[in-house]
Amino acid sequence: MKAGAVAREYVLLGLRCGRVLPGLVDAFSGDPSWRSAVASGPLPAPGELAERAARLRGEVASAGLPARRADFLDRQLAALECAMRRLVGPAPPFRTELRAYFDTEVEWGEPDDYRAAHAELAGLLPGGGPLAARMAAYRKREELPRALLGPAVQALSGALRALTGRTVELPAGETVYYELAGDRPWSGFNHYLGGYRSKVVVNADMARRASTLPHLVAHEAYPGHHTERCRRELVQVRGAGWPEHGLFLVNTPECLVSEGLAELGLAAAVGPGWGRWAQGVLAELGIRMDGELAERVELAAARLMPARQDAALMLHESGADPDEVVAYLRRWLLVSEARAVQMLRFMRHPLWRAYTTTYVEGHRLVGRWLAAAAPGEPVLARYATLLDGALTPSAVRAALAIPAGGDTDVNAG
C-alpha cells in the first residue's frame, strides 16, 4: 500500500473508531467527504476495528514511509487497537493500557517529594495553622467574580497571542472563541473547528482564580492547543500533505506531547516573571493579585502533579475505594473535597479514565525538551520546534537520549 493510501486508511479507521467510542475524535480538519463516507456507512464492530488497526500497522511498516511519519502512524494505531479491544474485553492491566495509549511507562510518585513541596508552600503562604486550611484561604482570596471571568480570559488571550506571535507564525485569520459552560468533567477544553479556528469552553462551575487563569488560557489557546492545532493544519496537512495530522484522537500518543506543550505554554510564552506580567494584564480590569506570590505558589504546587497519576493508579490498578482516592487527592494536592470529587469524576469517566497521565508525563517530557535548549536559544523557539515536530513520545525521548519512563521533573519556568 502506498503512503497516501495508508494515511487515508488511518484517518478512515480513526473516524470509524470514533463512531463506536464517542468523544474519541477530538478534532478533524481533513477532507469532509471522508467523514461523510464513514458517517453514512454501517456501524462498525469494535473487534473488527481492532483487527484492522493491527493489520494496518503491518502495512505502515512496509509502505516505505519516512521514519518519523511511520513511527507516528504505528504508535497511533497501537493506541486505537487497544481502545477497541477494551470495548470487547477483557480489559488489559491499567499500565498496559497507558503504555499502548501514550507510548510511555508510568511509576508512582514519591511522597517525600510531595512533603518537600508542602514544606515550600508552608513557607510561602501567609497565616498559621494547618497547611490545607491556609491553602484554602489563599485560593479563596484569589477567586474571581463570575462577571469578570469572561473579560479576564479575553484580556489574557489577547496578551498571550501577541507574545506567541512574536516567535510562532500564526496563520492569517486564526481565531479563538470562548464559551463559559457548566457540568463538565474537565476544567477547560479546546474544540478545534478547522480552518485555524477554535472554540474554547471554560468550565464556569469551578471557582476560577486570578493566579491560575493565565495557565488555563495559555494551555487552551496561546501557545497551547489552539496554536498547536493551527500549526498542524498549516505545516503538516496543507504544507507536507500528511492527512493523518488533520485527525486528532483522544487516548493516543499525540495527546501526551500535546498536553505537555499546553501545560508548559505559559512558561514558554512568558517565562520567569509571568506572575507580575499577569498581574499587570489583569490590573487593567480592576482585578488585584500578588503576581510574585502567585507564581511561587503555582511552581511549588506543580511539584504535586504526580499525585494525580498516583490517584489514577490507586483507582484502576490497586482497586482502591473512591473515598480513599478522594482522601489521597485532598491530602497531597491540598484541595477541597469538591475539587477532589471533580478530579475523581474525570478519572472514572469512560473516555477520560487514563488521561491524567498525559498531563503528568507530558509535563515531564516536554519539560526535558525545553530544558535542553541550546545556550541563548529562546524557550519559545525551542517550544515551537516541538509544535511542528509531529513527534511521538518515543521520538522525543530518543532525541533527548533518555529511556522510556526515564523522564524527571524539570521546572521549565
Side-chain angles (χ1 to χ4, degrees):
M1 188 179 290
K2 294 183 178 180
V6 167
R8 180 178 183 276
E9 285 302 307
Y10 162 77
V11 173
L12 293 174
L13 177 64
L15 293 172
R16 291 188 184 105
C17 291
R19 288 196 62 192
V20 300
L21 186 56
L24 178 71
V25 177
D26 177 83
F28 179 63
S29 56
D31 189 334
S33 68
W34 294 5
R35 171 170 263 171
S36 298
V38 169
S40 62
L43 186 66
E48 293 176 1
L49 293 173
E51 293 299 328
R52 179 60 185 136
R55 291 196 303 272
L56 191 54
R57 290 183 72 188
E59 291 163 10
V60 166
S62 61
L65 293 164
R68 176 168 57 119
R69 193 176 183 190
D71 181 55
F72 176 85
L73 287 168
D74 177 71
R75 295 183 190 278
Q76 291 288 115
L77 286 164
L80 282 178
E81 181 183 354
C82 179
M84 293 301 100
R85 293 200 188 283
R86 278 201 76 252
L87 294 180
V88 296
F94 187 56
R95 291 199 209 201
T96 301
E97 182 181 351
L98 295 178
R99 186 182 308 116
Y101 284 169
F102 305 125
D103 182 27
T104 199
E105 302 287 346
V106 303
E107 299 295 341
W108 289 82
E110 292 292 340
D112 285 347
D113 293 341
Y114 306 155
R115 293 186 184 96
H118 281 195
E120 184 177 353
L121 287 166
L124 291 172
L125 295 173
L131 180 58
R134 293 164 62 191
M135 179 63 92
Y138 167 75
R139 287 170 171 155
K140 186 66 177 177
R141 287 193 298 270
E142 289 278 296
E143 286 183 13
L144 286 173
R146 169 127 183 189
L148 289 177
L149 179 56
V153 165
Q154 292 288 350
L156 289 165
S157 182
L160 283 165
R161 181 182 186 276
L163 287 176
T164 300
R166 294 177 187 175
T167 301
V168 180
E169 178 189 352
L170 296 172
E174 61 79 25
T175 307
V176 179
Y177 308 92
Y178 290 94
E179 176 184 308
L180 305 183
D183 191 26
R184 300 295 195 274
W186 31 255
S187 175
F189 202 104
N190 177 291
H191 297 275
Y192 188 64
L193 307 175
Y196 311 131
R197 298 169 300 119
S198 288
K199 180 178 75 172
V200 171
V201 180
V202 177
N203 187 346
D205 282 351
M206 299 171 58
R208 292 296 173 181
R209 295 182 284 123
S211 56
T212 58
L213 206 57
H215 175 269
L216 175 70
V217 176
H219 183 113
E220 303 296 347
Y222 305 103
H225 289 322
H226 168 71
T227 305
E228 182 204 9
R229 305 293 197 270
C230 286
R231 294 296 302 176
R232 283 171 65 124
E233 185 172 349
L234 178 70
V235 176
Q236 307 296 344
V237 180
R238 301 191 185 193
W242 293 1
E244 60 267 32
H245 291 286
L247 178 69
F248 194 89
L249 298 169
V250 170
N251 291 334
T252 61
E254 63 186 343
C255 296
L256 189 136
V257 176
S258 178
E259 296 296 350
L261 284 165
E263 283 291 302
L264 289 166
L266 187 62
V270 184
W274 65 257
R276 287 188 177 274
W277 172 85
Q279 178 180 324
V281 172
L282 295 176
E284 297 183 13
L285 299 174
I287 297 171
R288 298 178 61 185
M289 66 176 282
D290 184 337
E292 184 176 349
L293 176 60
E295 183 170 352
R296 295 174 70 186
V297 168
E298 291 305 313
L299 286 173
R303 295 168 57 189
L304 301 172
M305 185 186 293
R308 294 167 60 187
Q309 183 164 263
D310 295 347
L313 289 169
M314 289 174 64
L315 188 65
H316 299 302
E317 181 178 74
S318 303
D321 183 85
D323 289 342
E324 183 183 352
V325 176
V326 167
Y328 187 90
L329 290 166
R330 295 193 66 187
R331 175 188 180 186
W332 291 122
L333 297 182
L334 304 170
V335 295
S336 66
E337 182 172 5
R339 178 64 177 134
V341 169
Q342 175 76 0
M343 292 180 180
L344 177 66
R345 179 188 177 193
F346 184 75
M347 294 174 194
R348 299 179 79 179
H349 191 281
L351 182 65
W352 303 111
R353 63 193 297 275
Y355 205 77
T356 296
T357 286
T358 65
Y359 304 114
V360 176
E361 302 301 338
H363 186 281
R364 284 176 168 155
L365 185 59
V366 175
R368 286 290 299 264
W369 178 268
L370 297 183
E377 181 184 9
V379 174
L380 188 55
R382 175 74 173 172
Y383 183 97
T385 63
L386 202 51
L387 276 179
D388 293 350
L391 298 177
T392 63
S394 283
V396 176
R397 287 191 294 267
L400 295 171
I402 55 177
D407 311 322
T408 56
D409 286 306
V410 173
N411 180 356

